[in-house]
Amino acid sequence: MANQTPEDYYSETENFGASQYVSLKDVVDSMLLEAQDDDSFIKNVRRAKLIKIGKDAIRLVTRQAANKIFAIEITVPDTLFFPMPQDYLNYARVSVVVTDNSSNSLRLQPLDVNYGINTATGYLQDNEGDLLFDQDGNILTSDSSNGYARPYKTYQFSSSYQPMVNASKFSKYGEFKPDSERGQFLFSSDLMDKEVVIEYISDGLPLGVAEDEILIHKFLRETVENWVYFGCIERNRNVPANEKQRALNRYKTTLHQSKMAMADLDILRIARSMRANTMTL
Amino acid sequence: MINIDIAYRTVLMLANSDIRGNVKPTELRLAINDAVNEIAEEYFYEVNRLLNRQNRGFINGGIENIPDRIREKILHFLVEDQLLVYAEPYFNLPNDLRYIDSVFYNDEANVEFCKDNRNFRQLSYSKDTKPTLNYPIGLQIGTKIKISPSVINDKVTVSYLRNPKIANWSYVVIDGSEIFNPSSSSFQDVDLHSSEFNNLIVKTLHRFGINLKEADIVQITSNEKGQDFNQENAS
């Protein structure tokens, strides 16, 4: 907002931190301005193509450099499965909220991923073992013995010494499995009715949101624009190969700069971490 | 605008002779309007040709930037921000429209025009290019336009290049002579950028040369046009 006073800023919570971001519309409008130059390689690129490549660029750069983790908190339902968020790409960490008795405060304790939770699709068969088909000729399926039909019960963690037990199967706080096929998280039975925080990576493009509400960090803006430019000329016959190579190199350079800027590296935190490792007990 | 009376008298001065006879006002009107249309349509080719020269570094900036000067001549025909009338599912275009310059929704969102209906439909259904209120798309169908998303049914304005007005040297006949009458309701000066005076005279004369079967006029005007072209393209 060009004429926003400090009073305007602090009076609306939705203004907080807004200066970190630019919208996809800003990026597209900026590229359209560049395309108006008579000598530009992208002067005849249609706007729809800029928007399409702009969205691709946000997906790509968000994945490669954004370093942005979204988090949601849910209560694990009795069914022990919960749908993935709308803009979910991959999980970063799934934790349960537990009470720390020493400080009487809440802490996040990471859950263990357990790919042993069965998510297989069950084929229906008759009593002779032959497959059953529907009227369209497709195999009839059901949740036979998977985690959707039979909630997964975890081994109980025991702090006592049990030399004959495979401790790798234990999980102190519970287990989960992301089922990408069906877009669900499955949880172990000990997490029922507990608060769980799912931290995940988004593709940066929430569905059904207008171009001026799709936001990207300003550290990524130049990288996104450089990808859009490269994407516009990449498959054009009349653009010289050296210009394509230059554009690609420029994108890679700015991507590297964006990664460095977004990495949140801090010498004091590194020093603190190293101090902890050398601490004498 | 170019003063049609001066243009007419210049043509008469160059074309009339005892042998060739008199150029009549009705013939002049036809010849001038044909020349105006030719000049107005040539601008786009000229801009393209000169932009190629500019991109090769042969054209200077500032006031002598020739593509910009030709664009000024094109913009002589620009009509800005005319509100369009909606008649579901189309918007009706103005009657004097020749080429669309831009169409805006709500003064902010530029409507991007599609090449054809296939392109329009493809953009409408593709997930990443689906038109939005920020980025609507349009398709021109004759004298109407279709805009998507279809919730847009008002606040659409068009800026366009209009047809040149039909020049008319209006006159009254007194004692058998045509006397110029600029106060007639049918009077209309030549609807071109004022810098086109010489070009207009040459092209009008060229037509009279053909009309009168005068090879010397055709020859001279053709040479004139050739010289102009060579001058424009000299490095």
Side-chain angles (χ1 to χ4, degrees), chain A residues 2-66:
Chain A
N3 299 320
Q4 188 185 61
T5 64
E7 187 179 2
D8 294 335
Y9 175 79
Y10 287 108
S11 60
E12 292 287 339
T13 53
E14 64 184 29
N15 291 335
F16 297 169
S19 65
Q20 299 171 91
Y21 297 98
V22 291
S23 69
L24 173 62
K25 187 171 186 303
D26 293 329
V27 171
V28 171
D29 290 348
S30 163
M31 299 301 291
L32 284 171
L33 190 66
E34 187 179 332
Q36 285 177 18
D37 187 340
D38 291 325
D39 199 20
S40 171
F41 278 116
I42 59 170
K43 64 182 174 185
N44 286 324
V45 172
R46 300 186 73 81
R47 191 180 66 192
K49 185 173 177 181
L50 284 177
I51 296 169
K52 160 85 175 62
I53 299 176
K55 289 180 178 176
D56 289 346
I58 289 178
R59 290 189 192 102
L60 185 71
V61 174
T62 300
R63 195 173 70 236
Q64 293 188 336

Side-chain angles (χ1 to χ4, degrees), chain B residues 36-184:
Chain B
V36 166
N37 270 309
E38 184 186 336
I39 292 169
E41 285 297 320
E42 275 178 352
Y43 288 145
F44 306 103
Y45 300 97
E46 283 184 53
V47 170
N48 269 304
R49 184 169 53 81
L50 291 165
L51 279 178
N52 287 334
R53 290 177 57 74
Q54 176 175 293
N55 293 342
R56 293 203 301 270
F58 293 146
I59 289 179
N60 292 324
I63 196 76
E64 66 269 30
N65 186 290
I66 307 170
D68 283 357
R69 299 290 78 75
I70 298 176
R71 282 181 171 138
E72 274 185 45
K73 298 178 187 185
I74 294 174
L75 294 180
H76 171 84
F77 299 104
L78 183 71
V79 181
E80 273 188 291
D81 302 333
Q82 299 295 301
L83 191 65
L84 293 182
V85 177
Y86 184 67
E88 193 177 3
Y90 303 108
F91 288 90
N92 292 322
L93 291 169
N95 292 329
D96 61 342
L97 177 140
R98 178 163 284 192
Y99 297 116
I100 293 174
D101 174 64
S102 60
V103 172
F104 274 83
Y105 166 61
N106 209 13
D107 284 337
E108 288 179 353
N110 186 12
V111 177
E112 181 178 53
F113 277 83
C114 299
K115 290 185 284 188
D116 49 33
N117 199 34
R118 184 179 63 162
N119 187 215
F120 183 84
R121 282 170 174 267
Q122 192 167 12
L123 293 183
S124 298
Y125 298 128
S126 176
K127 186 180 157 195
D128 280 344
T129 60
K130 214 177 182 66
T132 62
L133 293 178
N134 285 323
Y135 294 124
I137 60 170
L139 181 70
Q140 185 175 3
I141 306 164
T143 57
K144 299 176 287 188
I145 55 172
K146 182 167 69 173
I147 292 179
S148 181
S150 55
V151 290
I152 296 176
N153 55 22
D154 65 348
K155 297 181 186 171
V156 173
T157 54
V158 64
S159 296
Y160 64 96
L161 299 180
R162 58 174 169 75
N163 285 320
K165 294 172 183 165
I166 296 172
N168 188 24
W169 189 85
S170 51
Y171 61 96
V172 290
V173 180
I174 299 174
D175 295 335
S177 301
E178 298 104 355
I179 307 297
F180 181 48
N181 177 23
S183 49
S184 165

